[in-house]
Amino acid sequence: MDRAARRPRGAVGRAYLVTDLGRREPPTAARPLRHTGLDPARPPGVELNEDTMTYDYLVIGGGIVGLSTALHLLAERPGSRVAVLEKERTLAAHQTGHNSGVIHAGIYYAPGSLKATLCRAGEAATKAFCDAHGIPYRTIGKLVVATTAAEVARLHRLGERAGVNGIAVEPVDRGRLRELEPHVTGLEALLVRSTGIVDYRAVARAMAEEVRAGGGEVLTGVEVTAIREGADAVDVATPGRGFRARRLVACAGLQADRVLRLGGVEPDFRIVPFRGEYYELPPTRAGLVEHLIYPVPDPELPFLGVHLSPTIDGRITVGPNAVLGLAREGYPKRAVSLRDVADFARFPGMWRFARANLRTGVAEAVNSVVKAGYLAQARKYCPSLTARDLRPHVAGIRAQAIMRDGTPAEDFLLRATPRQLHVANAPSPAATSALPIGRMIAARVLGERQTTEEPNARPSR
């Protein structure tokens, strides 16, 4: 097992809790927000009675970002009443539990950007958290492989960016690449030794245990149906009972825009689902690669491309692609939600985005249907793969915030009112960065860091 000896659990000040992110940029600023016009005095579905539970902080969303936020709120305010509300019966049911399981180092992100800072802090914090809780992880390293002259040029620029970000990388020539990975071919590569693999569902479960151990509550099967913000508190309705809190944090992922609307604010973006479809190699291909194998990313695309990923349970996955999804939470290939489709089809920003990315979108859709096209992407650097090697594997769905002008939000996007903070976009690698993201959100909720870019919108009265 590639991890340090397990440390005993402690109280506030545990090594994996992020206490200082250093110099960092603020999340994307918000324009003045447009409101729904709901009357918060009597919003639909909010009824308070003797069963209403009162808290200091409510967190909507039992994924890894919401759980990290609750963990840091309790660390900063021991003894406060904190609850996490998750609509599914299990935690980490969506983006947290449907990804490649990679602990990223952060080589791709612009130097000094929030994503770069959070990812680098998150890589160390995630491993420390796993050490403290006995969660298996392996630091197997990643090879970013260039197969054309154009990719070699981009690979060199990527190496320069990694150096500026303070991430150690090693240039690998063709001969050394063959020694490291006999089944992988390329002109050059970069070796990122610090990249690892883990099961993020196990990380999320351990975070939930930590929240409960700190006196917080983690409630599953609790779907928020209405939110009312008053002068002194936020009231939240669910089918079973009501909740009241001094502050509300929403880390709703695939439902971020809808939960924001429940809070009385009309979103200036729309969550569009992108399916990340994977294949899995058969047991006879076990050990095909020892490292994570990634292509050089195309700067014109917001995704990293099809890669080979050994998993913590011994499998190897191939993927993902990035194809427009027809259901936010529908994982089968033919899943369709008319509500979800109508939601993005009515949004003008989606059509602007589609026009700007038509060629790429068509290619991704074709490769989703035609296995040979998907296979060709992986065979660029692993030519021994065959169509028979690609076996079905569960898909993931990425919540991508698309702005009204058609641009995809590429960094963190927050929307706030005096008593609510909504995480509208938490881009990849949000799982790796979850601990420092939670610290950042907790700091904003607790008023430790105010900026002029913080939106100051109040639900319409």
Side-chain angles (χ1 to χ4, degrees):
M1 189 64 61
D2 189 13
R3 56 180 174 83
R6 180 176 177 177
R7 303 188 192 100
R9 298 187 189 181
V12 176
R14 292 175 289 263
Y16 51 80
L17 290 179
V18 181
T19 57
D20 183 16
L21 295 178
R23 182 179 179 274
R24 54 198 182 272
E25 295 180 355
T28 304
R31 69 186 72 177
L33 300 178
R34 183 164 60 91
H35 305 293
T36 61
L38 293 176
D39 178 2
R42 296 189 67 82
V46 178
E47 297 293 339
L48 302 180
N49 52 46
E50 62 273 10
D51 294 326
T52 297
M53 305 297 291
T54 302
Y55 297 87
D56 295 301
Y57 308 103
L58 274 180
V59 179
I60 298 175
I64 197 168
V65 172
L67 291 165
S68 173
T69 299
L71 187 64
H72 280 88
L73 286 169
L74 282 165
E76 294 297 322
R77 295 291 186 273
S80 61
R81 296 204 64 189
V82 177
V84 178
L85 309 182
E86 168 54 49
K87 71 180 179 68
E88 306 295 353
R89 294 291 177 183
T90 59
L91 299 172
H94 295 297
Q95 294 182 102
T96 302
H98 292 81
N99 58 53
S100 300
V102 177
I103 305 173
H104 288 279
I107 65 170
Y108 301 109
Y109 314 118
S113 69
L114 192 61
K115 280 207 293 188
T117 302
L118 291 172
C119 187
R120 188 176 180 195
E123 178 258 322
T126 298
K127 292 175 181 177
F129 185 90
C130 290
D131 288 339
H133 293 80
I135 299 171
Y137 70 92
R138 294 174 58 215
T139 303
I140 63 174
K142 171 165 64 179
L143 282 163
V144 184
V145 180
T147 59
T148 68
E151 288 182 354
V152 168
R154 297 206 303 266
L155 186 75
H156 292 170
R157 291 194 292 272
L158 190 62
E160 293 169 0
R161 172 171 287 189
V164 175
N165 282 336
I167 299 166
V169 297
E170 300 173 26
V172 175
D173 62 21
R174 184 184 300 201
R176 176 63 174 153
L177 177 61
R178 180 67 68 178
E179 292 176 5
L180 292 171
E181 293 289 355
H183 298 285
V184 174
T185 185
L187 301 178
E188 294 185 24
L190 282 179
L191 174 60
V192 190
R193 291 192 181 274
S194 59
T195 305
I197 54 175
V198 73
D199 179 356
Y200 281 111
R201 287 168 294 190
V203 176
R205 288 193 295 268
M207 285 185 179
E209 292 175 5
E210 194 81 358
V211 169
R212 293 182 177 116
E217 298 178 39
V218 180
L219 307 175
T220 58
V222 179
E223 183 172 3
V224 173
T225 56
I227 300 170
R228 178 184 71 196
E229 179 174 336
D232 302 315
V234 180
D235 296 322
V236 174
T238 73
R241 59 177 173 173
F243 297 82
R244 169 170 284 179
R246 292 193 298 111
R247 295 296 303 271
L248 172 74
V249 182
C251 303
L254 286 157
Q255 306 297 334
D257 52 346
R258 291 170 178 167
V259 173
L260 179 60
R261 189 177 291 114
L262 287 179
V265 177
E266 182 61 28
D268 56 341
F269 63 94
R270 190 72 78 246
I271 293 296
V272 176
F274 282 88
R275 287 176 58 81
E277 296 169 333
Y278 293 85
Y279 288 98
E280 180 180 328
L281 298 186
T284 56
R285 286 296 215 169
L288 178 71
V289 294
E290 298 295 330
H291 301 79
L292 294 147
I293 309 297
Y294 276 63
V296 179
D298 185 336
E300 300 300 317
L301 301 178
F303 309 109
L304 296 180
V306 171
H307 43 271
L308 296 179
S309 301
T311 64
I312 197 66
D313 59 2
R315 297 173 295 165
I316 298 177
T317 61
V318 184
N321 60 358
V323 63
L324 179 65
L326 302 180
R328 296 194 188 196
E329 298 174 357
Y331 296 96
K333 198 175 188 72
R334 294 178 176 83
V336 177
S337 165
L338 295 180
R339 179 195 180 199
D340 293 345
V341 172
D343 216 7
F344 66 68
R346 289 194 298 258
F347 185 62
M350 179 60 198
W351 293 103
R352 297 183 180 106
F353 174 83
R355 284 193 296 271
N357 296 275
L358 181 60
R359 182 177 178 181
T360 299
V362 170
E364 290 289 317
V366 169
N367 289 341
S368 172
V369 176
V370 181
K371 184 185 286 188
Y374 196 111
L375 176 65
Q377 296 182 63
R379 282 175 56 88
K380 286 178 59 180
Y381 50 80
C382 190
S384 66
L385 288 175
T386 69
R388 290 191 300 273
D389 291 328
L390 302 186
R391 299 187 174 187
H393 185 79
V394 66
I397 300 177
R398 172 175 171 170
Q400 177 63 59
I402 302 293
M403 308 309 294
R404 191 167 292 276
D405 64 0
T407 58
E410 296 183 358
D411 214 324
F412 293 90
L413 196 66
L414 304 180
R415 295 292 182 260
T417 70
R419 293 196 172 274
Q420 301 177 58
L421 180 62
H422 292 253
V423 181
N425 194 65
S428 177
T432 297
S433 306
L435 283 161
I437 292 171
R439 169 67 181 94
M440 177 186 74
I441 295 169
R444 293 175 77 93
V445 170
L446 298 173
E448 295 177 12
R449 183 172 181 272
Q450 299 295 327
T451 76
T452 58
E453 301 187 24
E454 179 75 36
N456 186 24
R458 189 181 295 272
S460 300
R461 296 192 180 280

